[in-house]
Amino acid sequence: MNNTIREILKSRYSISDDIITLADSVMAEIKPAIENVQKIVEYNQLKVTAAMIENNLSDFHLNDSTGYGYNDTGRDTIEAIYSRVFGTEDALVRPQIISGTHAIILCLFGVLRPGDELLCVTGEPYDTLKDAILGKNCGSLREYNISYSQVDLKNGKPDYNGIREKINEKTRMVLIQRSRGYSLRPTLDIESIKALIEYIKEIKEDIICFVDNCYGEFTEIYEPTEVGADVCAGSLIKNPGGGIAPTGGYVVGKRNIIEQCAYRLYAPGVGKNCGPSLQFNRLALQGLFYAPMIVGEALKGSIFISRFFERAGFKVHPSYNEKRSDIVTAIEMGNRELLISFCRGLQKAGPVDAYISPEPWDMPGYNHQVIMAGGSFIQGASIELSADAPIREPYVVYVQGGINFFHAKLGAMKALQNIIDEGLYAIKLD
Ligand SMILES: *Cc1c(COP(=O)(O)O)cnc(C)c1O
């Protein structure tokens, strides 16, 4: 690093020489992996821009509607653009969808009916879905007589034989989770998702293959719906909102499925012709336009963080030179104190609320306490640099986002500096 950068890191951020030297060395190592990201960014930028041009996106689409939201051509154009990007018949992209969990729930409750079975083929689904599927007294699928079964991954891969055994005449939908969630299992890449869906459709053609696409968008050149998924869903304060969308979620897929999801979101029979865009249209569109580049920055940040903490002596998943299909890096911290200290260090690099010290809390929807560090402009946005973790063994922290690479790099240095300054860790430089 040149001397002016070293100076500002030392004088304004209290980063030690050792850590800066380590970062320098990591930068050299990750160069080829970073260059590879640029190809994905370029392809996806071309794909998104083409969808905007082909749908005659115009200045007046950037305005918004109020009240019922009838005749909101901006909203309808956003959905046409999403459909084109994801290669689907239709899309639901709304500020009324408040999170990834909400978008996923729309698919489950929109499509499944009493007597049906949901089969999750990637092990335990994301933490916030557990109550929705199996909870008591909360309007879960189980309470509507929709049963659930699950096939765990085998050595990190889908267990094909296990899946064949579990599919029965009731199986109406298969849930495939692309990203790792709060677990150490590997992320499922697009090639594996394609093979898995082909296998499932061969066993039972009319099973709806649904992909939880959270954190996966634009990390590869294809999306799950381009390789056979009937429907996929995600959050706009993760990848596809590009750090600009202030809230929102999306569902993309077959027309009849999207219609069912819209009935569930609003009211049966009302569906997607309603839903005011409020101040959402311009921000959702601008965010989508930025998303390929922003996801590229987050991917580069992940590659750095992965190698940086590996060199500092920690186990990381995935390693910096493995293929990625999401923006998450898991770092095994090994104990509660290190985990919390890591998050507090990362928080110190946030542009917002850097002076605040995050604490574990009982976050709604999770069965363990969770700590979240971010300092983001949009509350909870994890496309912005963020770290979060359930407070449970084996004390793994999940780091993601980073609107720009250099900020992610700073966050990594601050996190490592903090665990050293608090006397919890001595760096073993090789
Ligand atoms: C983030 C995430 C979700 C949903 O999370 P929200 O916080 O509700 O947006 C679901 N599945 C996976 C794999 C995720 O990473």
Side-chain angles (χ1 to χ4, degrees), residues 340 344 347 353-359 371:
I340 293 174
R344 290 183 175 160
Q347 180 82 26
D353 287 338
Y355 64 94
I356 278 169
S357 181
E359 295 279 345
I371 185 165

Side-chain angles (χ1 to χ4, degrees), residues 38 292-302 401-406:
Q38 290 308 107
M293 171 188 75
I294 296 295
V295 170
E297 293 298 292
L299 281 172
K300 290 189 265 178
S302 302
I403 295 296
N404 73 68
F405 172 71
F406 295 115

Side-chain angles (χ1 to χ4, degrees), residues 9-43:
L9 284 171
K10 286 167 67 173
S11 64
R12 307 278 290 276
Y13 294 98
S14 308
I15 309 275
S16 69
D17 269 313
D18 271 7
I19 288 182
I20 300 171
T21 302
L22 174 62
D24 273 349
S25 157
V26 167
M27 286 297 280
E29 281 181 282
I30 64 175
K31 220 169 160 223
I34 295 242
E35 275 164 14
N36 202 34
V37 170
Q38 290 308 107
K39 294 180 202 149
I40 299 165
V41 172
E42 182 170 5
Y43 181 86

Side-chain angles (χ1 to χ4, degrees), residues 99-102 104 126 128 177 179 181 212 214-215 235 238 366:
S99 66
T101 303
H102 193 188
I104 293 163
Y126 192 72
T128 56
Q177 184 181 305
S179 183
D212 169 356
C214 285
Y215 286 138
S235 165
K238 292 181 177 175
Y366 291 83

